[in-house]
Amino acid sequence: MQIGMVGLGKMGGKMAERLRRGGHDVVGYDRDPAVSDVSSLKELMERLQEPRAVWVMVPSGPPTHATIEELGNLMSPGDLLVDGGNSHYVDDQRHGAFLGTKQIGFVDCGVSGGVWGLQNGYALMVGGSKENVDRMMPVFDTLKPEQDGFVHAGEIGAGHFAKMVHNGIEYGMMQSFAEGWELLEASDIVTDVPGAFKSWRTGTVIRSWLLDLLVRALDEDPALEELEGYAQDSGEGRWTVQAAVDHAVPLPVITAALYARFASRQDDSPAMKVVAALRNQFGGHAVTSKEGSVAKGADSPGADVVPPVEAQK
């Protein structure tokens, strides 16, 4: 099958390669001319035979909006566009409606597999009409692993909604491993922390690919001394938590994992300053100033404030 691939970055480029290895005719476009087969989206359209199929694999938000708008004005009725980036499912519905006015088909596809997808295959969660999904099945069959790894999750938006929830779960799992590692490192009983994680890879209920990847990271850097404790978020964790609020579904683990990433970016937590100040005020607990000196609550301005009766009990 012939397909245009827009965005040849660390995932899009490997997906294009997996498709080529599977016998598909892939014409790729990227802003980097060193990896691009054509010089523009217009030239990409000229290279593809009608009815065209184009897969967009660019960052979510404005880059995806702009790319789909430009393609929508270049493509013809009967063409089909797949958004395989990490788009918000609400945006999918808007993109589908826009393309629908031009009689261009639209499928949203959540893709998981990262840099390992070329070798292992990509898990695909797609949304769209049965007609459009069936049309793309030769491509989906090549990209996915040999067993499982594919779902037609529902109508437009369902694919990225499923991928959003997948990433939320991923946040919670990673945070659990992270907290377990920190506790083991803090213990003076366990002397082989990497070995402990390695022992869990076989025969335990928490064995997983994430655990395998953590063991690999610990093999390279046993105390993770080369890394800073700073974690970004792609946006899907936030969308998952927002969707939970919209549907009144409690997600305490995923929400806490997202907030932990926010906390990782703070050199000096404003919230913890308030906590330290309050502990100093009501209990005389020591606090450390930026100069490193220690102050006592009894010496603080609020030390002579009489607490309410309830607080004195």
Side-chain angles (χ1 to χ4, degrees):
M1 178 175 175
Q2 188 185 51
I3 185 168
M5 180 68 75
V6 178
L8 302 172
K10 60 185 177 183
M11 279 194 70
K14 288 183 170 57
M15 291 169 68
E17 177 60 24
R18 185 173 174 91
L19 288 171
R20 289 190 176 104
R21 292 179 185 180
H24 297 277
D25 176 15
V26 180
V27 182
Y29 169 73
D30 193 272
R31 292 169 62 183
D32 180 0
V35 299
S36 188
D37 299 315
V38 294
S39 60
S40 66
L41 291 178
K42 184 176 184 296
E43 186 181 350
L44 176 66
M45 294 301 100
E46 294 169 352
R47 286 276 299 270
L48 297 175
Q49 300 173 358
E50 296 188 28
R52 309 176 185 92
V54 178
W55 189 301
V56 175
M57 205 69 189
V58 301
S60 63
T64 294
H65 302 328
T67 301
I68 290 179
E69 182 175 359
E70 185 175 354
L71 284 168
N73 292 324
L74 291 170
M75 298 173 78
S76 304
D79 289 349
L80 177 60
L81 188 150
V82 179
D83 177 10
N86 286 329
S87 292
H88 196 193
Y89 71 96
V90 175
D91 292 336
D92 292 327
Q93 295 161 353
R94 180 159 61 90
H95 294 152
F98 164 68
L99 295 171
T101 63
K102 299 174 178 291
Q103 298 181 306
I104 299 169
F106 179 73
V107 171
D108 62 286
C109 181
V111 182
S112 182
V115 296
W116 297 86
L118 175 59
Q119 174 183 335
N120 300 331
Y122 300 89
L124 308 174
M125 295 141 272
V126 305
S129 70
K130 184 178 186 303
E131 176 186 2
N132 287 334
V133 172
D134 286 347
R135 179 175 164 185
M136 294 301 299
M137 281 310 301
V139 169
F140 295 146
D141 283 336
T142 301
L143 288 174
K144 75 178 187 65
E146 291 186 10
Q147 184 176 1
D148 298 325
F150 173 86
V151 62
H152 180 188
E155 293 302 312
I156 289 175
H160 280 140
F161 194 98
K163 176 59 164 47
M164 175 189 75
V165 175
H166 163 279
N167 278 30
I169 293 170
E170 178 186 295
Y171 275 44
M173 293 175 67
M174 286 194 289
Q175 185 65 23
S176 294
F177 281 127
E179 292 175 7
W181 178 81
E182 184 173 359
L183 181 56
L184 286 171
E185 280 285 327
S187 167
D188 56 2
I189 299 174
V190 178
T191 56
D192 185 1
V193 174
F197 277 94
K198 191 172 295 187
S199 74
W200 298 341
R201 293 180 64 189
T202 307
T204 75
V205 296
I206 64 169
R207 62 187 184 273
S208 64
W209 188 44
L210 278 177
L211 178 59
D212 292 341
L213 293 176
L214 178 54
V215 168
R216 184 172 182 266
L218 292 173
D219 282 343
E220 297 172 356
D221 183 7
L224 301 181
E225 293 174 332
E226 298 179 7
L227 300 176
E228 291 186 9
Y230 182 104
Q232 277 288 6
D233 67 284
S234 63
E236 288 172 300
R238 304 184 190 206
W239 298 338
T240 305
V241 172
Q242 184 59 58
V245 173
D246 294 341
H247 293 81
V249 174
L251 298 185
V253 172
I254 294 173
T255 302
L258 174 64
Y259 287 171
R261 295 200 183 188
F262 295 163
S264 78
R265 301 167 203 169
Q266 296 179 326
D267 293 328
D268 190 12
S269 169
M272 287 302 102
K273 289 181 181 180
V274 174
V275 171
L278 287 172
R279 293 183 75 247
N280 176 248
Q281 290 290 325
F282 71 68
H285 300 289
V287 294
T288 304
S289 70
K290 289 188 175 181
E291 290 74 27
S293 60
V294 175
K296 298 292 185 180
D299 298 326
S300 63
D304 57 349
V305 176
V306 179
V309 174
E310 291 78 5
Q312 298 178 50
K313 293 180 179 179

